[in-house]
Amino acid sequence: MAGIPDYYKTLGVSRDATTDEVKKAYRKKARTAHPDAGGDEEEFKKINEAYEVLGDEKKRKLYDQYGTADANRIPNGWGGQGFNVNMGGSGFGSWADILDSIRKGEGAFGGSWDMSDIFAGMGGMGGQAAQPRPQKGRDVNVTLDVTFDEAFRGATKRVTVRVPGTTGPETFDCNVPAGAVDNGRVRYTGKGEPGTNGGAAGDLLITTHIKPHKLYARNGADVLMDLPLSLDEAVLGANVEIPAPNGSRVRLKVPAGTQDGAVLKVRGAGAPKVKRTGTGDLLVTAQVRIPKEVNDRQRQALEAFRAASDKKVRSW
């Protein structure tokens, strides 16, 4: 049917995949697509929708036969006449089974056929308007500004949200986890817009935005910083004391001959890893500073260095 998604393609499994294979594929894809892990929310919804069908034996059978697990959308049935057909719980099997039994004169329970058998399985005669289906409320998205230190260490922030369809604004405490990343999400189930026809409320999604820091930047759990170096430190090497993002100070060994743009690593000095153990690293980028002016002694030393150099820096 046109517009019906290919759930097997969504989960990346074959049509003869076992229930365990479907479950494993779902867990693998959901883990990477989950919004709290930086995944795409729409893709995560599609993955859950596919598993809701393929992970259920009855729904999967309907989907394989008709291209949809929604009984109200089963093609070539009596839905256009107002019937709400639910074959899964009727005990009749498929329409082909019912019609074949009618031709043979067999009843629903071994006796002769009576049309009341059919309508009992359907929940009554047609012509009755279909009941409105429960609809989940829409998710509400909010952006929360946090400082570098709040995201690094974790913080509790008071948030006021005006959710459409509710009586008024709601204020509550949002727990920003230690190691929160820029554009990371904190999800509050059932705090979004109310559902309709008895459907569940949507979720509240709070997206964290990390304000710029004068020294540091973030790349996931890794913390990035620049380290200005004098010419002699880069050429001869040095031990430099630098501020770490956790508030301490660490000594960093700068190897002799360090080039401008080289990245030096301080292992374990980054941010905590959200939902995982361990921490990231502190990645320090060397920035060799060339003086615009030199004094007489510096000039003499540089001229002596040039006179003593026997290697060319250019290949042409």
Side-chain angles (χ1 to χ4, degrees):
M1 294 177 63
I4 298 298
D6 187 339
Y7 292 144
Y8 290 99
K9 184 176 180 181
T10 299
L11 294 183
V13 296
S14 63
R15 288 189 169 270
D16 58 355
T18 65
T19 302
D20 286 340
E21 289 172 339
V22 169
K23 184 182 294 185
K24 288 179 181 178
Y26 162 73
R27 289 177 176 175
K28 181 178 180 180
K29 284 186 173 288
R31 190 181 303 114
T32 56
H34 198 288
D36 293 346
D40 182 79
E41 181 181 352
E42 290 303 319
E43 180 66 20
F44 183 68
K45 287 182 178 179
K46 292 178 181 178
I47 292 171
N48 276 283
E49 179 183 330
Y51 182 66
E52 183 179 346
V53 173
L54 300 187
D56 184 290
E57 184 177 346
K58 292 183 179 179
K59 291 182 179 180
R60 181 176 179 180
K61 186 176 295 185
L62 281 175
Y63 176 75
D64 288 343
Q65 186 170 0
Y66 299 110
T68 176
D70 184 352
N72 292 315
R73 298 180 64 185
I74 294 176
N76 301 322
W78 293 353
Q81 301 178 20
F83 292 108
N84 184 10
V85 184
N86 183 358
M87 304 303 296
S90 67
F92 294 129
S94 68
W95 281 110
D97 295 335
I98 294 175
L99 297 175
D100 185 58
S101 295
I102 291 175
R103 286 192 295 268
K104 295 178 180 179
E106 297 174 353
F109 304 101
S112 60
W113 267 101
D114 189 303
M115 289 304 292
S116 62
D117 291 337
I118 299 177
F119 294 122
M122 294 178 186
M125 291 290 290
Q128 299 178 359
Q131 293 297 319
R133 298 177 60 189
Q135 296 290 332
K136 182 181 179 181
R138 290 185 298 180
D139 294 340
V140 175
N141 294 276
V142 177
T143 298
L144 176 64
D145 290 331
V146 296
T147 66
F148 178 90
D149 289 336
E150 287 172 335
F152 187 91
R153 295 182 172 86
T156 299
K157 303 278 288 185
R158 179 146 291 188
V159 180
T160 300
V161 180
R162 177 67 172 88
V163 177
T166 58
T167 56
E170 182 179 0
T171 300
F172 60 95
D173 291 333
C174 173
N175 295 317
V176 179
V181 298
D182 194 46
N183 290 323
R185 282 176 175 170
V186 181
R187 180 183 294 269
Y188 289 86
T189 303
K191 293 293 186 178
E193 289 190 23
T196 57
N197 303 321
D203 299 336
L204 173 63
L205 303 175
I206 299 181
T207 301
T208 53
H209 171 66
I210 302 177
K211 297 178 180 179
H213 191 277
K214 64 178 181 179
L215 287 180
Y216 308 114
R218 290 280 301 280
N219 181 19
D222 292 334
V223 177
L224 317 178
M225 70 173 292
D226 294 331
L227 175 63
L229 292 175
S230 63
L231 182 62
D232 61 285
E233 289 175 326
V235 174
L236 302 177
N239 285 306
V240 182
E241 187 179 78
I242 61 173
N246 64 1
S248 66
R249 301 185 73 83
V250 297
R251 297 199 67 83
L252 176 66
K253 182 178 180 180
V254 179
T258 294
Q259 302 295 302
D260 184 63
V263 178
L264 308 176
K265 181 183 296 186
V266 182
R267 294 189 180 277
K273 296 180 179 179
V274 180
K275 296 186 178 180
R276 291 185 294 168
T277 59
T279 57
D281 301 323
L282 175 60
L283 304 179
V284 183
T285 301
Q287 293 188 339
V288 181
R289 297 286 192 252
I290 306 298
K292 295 183 179 180
E293 297 179 358
V294 293
N295 57 36
D296 291 340
R297 290 182 61 191
Q298 290 172 326
R299 180 177 297 278
Q300 291 174 2
L302 287 172
E303 289 176 347
F305 175 80
R306 179 165 58 184
S309 300
D310 57 357
K311 295 182 178 179
K312 295 182 178 181
V313 296
R314 290 174 290 278
S315 59
W316 64 83

